[in-house]
Amino acid sequence: MMDIAVLSVFAFAAGLIDAAVGGGGLIQIPALFNVLPSAQPAALLGSNKLASVCGTAFAARSFIRKVTLDWGLIVPAALSAFVMSFAGAATVSLVPPSVMRPAVLVLIVLMAVYTFCKKDFGTLHTPAQVGRKEQCLAVLIGGAIGFYDGLFGPGTGSFLIFLFIRFFALDFLHASASAKVVNIATNLAALVFFVPTGNVLYAIALPMAVCNILGALTGTWLAVRKGAGFVRGLFLVLLCVLIAKLSWDLLAG
């Protein structure tokens, strides 16, 4: 019971952060591996995905009720992400983490510098008119991020938010809301593998899912209430945490 209680607290925190700016896996996955060190890694990852997809779905539902989203961009990106996450998972053994970490670290540093230096980045919502070009770009973005999520994972939500702002001129609030829908697709794709193979610890995952949902609803409420500026600040904090984690992994490796 104590393990479930501890993991539920971390799941709530993960859901809250993930709803606003992504990055819930940075909290939830280490918690699972530390609290349940003897469990199979695949079972822990499957449990994480089940809890995460529940929280992400409720966050997306809350955003959809309060923020106007452009489904002409989101649907192609989500479908592409779902398909390509399988491809990423299938090639995970071909690209070792030691190769991915330096490249991802450089990208996240560049994202942080760009966001920090460009003060109006993500503060204005001036969405581009959606045409064939924008839909094709959404498919490319969704596919690339879906592939990355299946292959490696850290920072998936942050990359989506950044790209939605950079290429479609959304603000942080609308970009975060859009990213949630795409994240549902990548999480579901992973569960299509984890559930049939028995790699979900339901006694742990279901209580975590409830707490992740509660955290996600809280995070969504804060994001909508505080606005794009608040989400931008959280986004920069999360990028700094990602930079620190990936740097530590490189030094420790």
Side-chain angles (χ1 to χ4, degrees):
M1 286 298 294
M2 182 59 69
D3 289 348
I4 294 175
V6 171
L7 288 171
S8 295
V9 171
F10 280 103
F12 177 87
L16 190 154
I17 295 299
D18 198 70
V21 290
L26 289 173
I27 299 171
Q28 202 161 259
I29 293 175
L32 279 162
F33 276 83
N34 280 294
V35 173
L36 303 171
S38 60
Q40 291 295 318
L44 297 179
L45 293 174
S47 301
N48 169 68
K49 284 296 184 185
L50 180 60
S52 295
V53 76
C54 292
T56 303
F58 272 80
R61 178 176 174 271
S62 293
F63 273 125
I64 289 167
R65 294 171 65 182
K66 298 170 184 175
V67 176
T68 301
L69 301 182
D70 197 326
W71 295 101
L73 291 175
I74 296 171
V75 171
L79 291 175
S80 179
F82 183 90
V83 173
M84 290 305 294
S85 64
F86 280 110
T91 58
V92 68
S93 61
L94 303 178
V95 184
S98 59
V99 174
M100 289 293 298
R101 285 194 188 103
V104 174
L105 178 59
V106 170
L107 288 174
I108 291 175
V109 169
L110 291 174
M111 279 170 49
V113 171
Y114 185 92
T115 304
F116 184 80
C117 292
K118 194 171 175 59
K119 300 298 182 183
D120 62 345
F121 183 73
T123 58
L124 301 175
H125 185 61
T126 54
Q129 187 71 29
V130 177
R132 183 64 60 85
K133 177 184 175 182
E134 286 74 23
Q135 288 181 327
C136 290
L137 186 55
V139 169
L140 289 175
I141 289 173
I145 298 301
F147 183 83
Y148 168 75
D149 193 37
L151 181 66
F152 190 55
T156 296
S158 302
F159 280 127
L160 278 170
I161 291 170
F162 182 86
L163 293 171
F164 272 120
I165 295 171
R166 176 65 182 81
F167 290 105
F168 304 125
L170 307 184
D171 64 11
F172 268 100
L173 181 61
H174 288 79
S176 182
S178 301
K180 290 294 150 290
V181 180
V182 181
N183 273 148
I184 291 173
T186 59
N187 285 337
L188 284 176
L191 284 175
V192 170
F193 167 76
F194 285 122
V195 172
T197 55
N199 285 306
V200 176
L201 304 174
Y202 290 101
I204 296 292
L206 293 178
M208 288 182 69
V210 172
C211 291
N212 198 282
I213 290 169
L214 294 174
L217 293 175
T218 305
T220 306
W221 179 82
L222 282 172
V224 172
R225 185 178 177 84
K226 299 291 186 179
F230 173 76
V231 179
R232 182 182 189 275
L234 274 183
F235 181 77
L236 284 168
V237 170
L238 179 67
L239 291 187
C240 291
V241 172
L242 271 169
I243 290 168
K245 181 185 184 302
L246 289 170
S247 299
W248 173 261
D249 289 344
L250 280 172
L251 292 172

